[in-house]
Amino acid sequence: MRILLTGSSGWLGQTLGPRLRALGHQVTGLDPRPSPLTQVVGSIADRDLVRRAVAEAGAEAIIHGGALHKPDIEAFSRQAFIDVNVAGTLNLLEEAAAQGVGRFVMTSTTSLMISKAIRAGAAGGARRAAWLDETMAPEPRNIYGVSKFAAENLCRLIYLEHGLPIVVLRTARFFPEADDMAHAIAQSDDNTKANELLFRRLTVADAAEAHVAALDKAPALGFDVFIVSATPPFAPDDAEALIADAPSVVARYFPAYRELYARRGWTMFQSIDRIYDPGHAARRLGFACRTSFADVLAALERGETLSLGYPPVIFPRR
């Protein structure tokens, strides 16, 4: 299949592009940053460039992973987020519809589901961890979330107007930057990321595989939105205890974790404020992440630290 991949120089693109090529697809990368994985250098906010890129690639599918992300908030204006994440997505969608592209996959984010109240967690008076699935009404708390939610709604609109099969993947965290959470483990970013696999993280390799699955299933699905995150071990009945005493809940599911963490000098978050439920993706998309918190513990048992599968090269940010 001939695929136009936006964000080809980014963290996801560095894994997804080679994976698609290994499956036999012909991939044209589009990204503002030059890299060996990018054939078209430019912004999706440029409608003429998008039109040419779709046409010259002979695109049968578009995977739209390019965007300004949460870490970009400090460096870019709100208008830039609208130009790239909203207008840029509209450019891709309308050109896909106009040029007969057969399927469209968009990378979105679970971040748009997190209101200020959810983020505040126990410190804000929450008595239960928020159990989050696709049925909840998003309340974006920053321009990144607002822009991605708007892009999701544009996807829905183009599907309704043109019948273009579109799958939206709300991916949890897989970026390599250090965590900005108030309860991040300052001494060890590996520790923080390992903890997050319990409730709001996945590896970049799993994120790439989710896009492969969405590309395959898009025509049969028509339109759908999926949360993509490592499968949590918890049940909704754990929500109160997760806010009050997360280490005890984790110990119920993984009795050996305390000893394994102690060997490494790691700690568990005292409180977990939300759980992303990827059950809809498992049921309808047929996808579940391969890597989970159990794999972290298995690596610690071997005296190793689990590699979260980041690409070997991170091309410089703009």
Side-chain angles (χ1 to χ4, degrees), residues 49-263:
L49 179 141
V50 168
R51 183 179 297 114
R52 292 195 305 272
V54 174
E56 292 173 6
E60 299 168 281
I62 293 174
I63 299 181
H64 176 29
L68 290 179
H69 298 280
K70 184 182 174 186
D72 294 313
I73 289 176
E74 299 298 323
F76 290 85
S77 68
R78 290 183 174 183
Q79 186 62 53
F81 275 82
I82 298 303
D83 293 343
V84 174
N85 293 0
V86 182
T89 300
L90 182 61
N91 288 341
L92 288 161
L93 288 166
E94 291 189 333
E95 287 304 323
Q99 297 191 41
V101 173
R103 58 193 81 185
F104 193 103
V105 177
M106 189 186 91
T107 314
S108 188
T109 174
T110 52
S111 179
L112 64 81
M113 306 171 70
I114 306 303
S115 64
K116 288 186 177 181
I118 291 174
R119 182 177 172 81
R127 296 184 177 182
R128 296 175 58 87
W131 194 272
L132 304 176
D133 63 20
E134 294 84 355
T135 64
M136 72 161 292
E139 297 181 27
R141 71 185 187 280
N142 54 38
I143 189 61
Y144 173 51
V146 167
S147 65
K148 294 301 281 187
F149 190 40
E152 287 190 6
N153 284 315
L154 288 173
C155 288
R156 188 184 303 273
L157 178 65
I158 295 299
Y159 167 70
L160 292 173
E161 291 183 344
H162 298 278
L164 172 63
I166 301 175
V167 176
V168 175
L169 300 178
R170 289 181 181 170
T171 58
R173 292 183 169 211
F174 58 84
F175 54 74
E177 288 99 338
D179 201 293
D180 64 353
M181 293 172 65
H183 57 190
I185 310 299
Q187 298 83 356
S188 174
D189 188 53
D190 286 338
N191 185 175
T192 297
K193 288 178 167 58
N195 289 358
E196 288 181 334
L197 276 175
L198 285 162
F199 66 105
R200 69 168 208 168
R201 180 167 284 277
L202 71 161
T203 66
V204 70
D206 277 332
E209 290 303 319
H211 286 73
V212 171
L215 180 71
D216 179 58
K217 294 288 183 66
L221 293 172
F223 179 86
D224 213 337
V225 178
F226 297 99
I227 290 172
V228 183
S229 190
T231 303
F234 311 119
D237 288 346
D238 296 318
E240 287 188 20
L242 283 167
I243 278 282
D245 185 4
S248 294
V249 181
V250 176
R252 282 199 278 110
Y253 287 92
F254 302 99
Y257 108 84
R258 291 187 192 271
E259 178 184 350
L260 293 170
Y261 264 41
R263 291 181 195 171

Side-chain angles (χ1 to χ4, degrees), residues 39-58:
Q39 290 72 46
V40 181
V41 177
S43 172
I44 58 173
D46 182 338
R47 181 62 174 261
D48 289 338
L49 179 141
V50 168
R51 183 179 297 114
R52 292 195 305 272
V54 174
E56 292 173 6

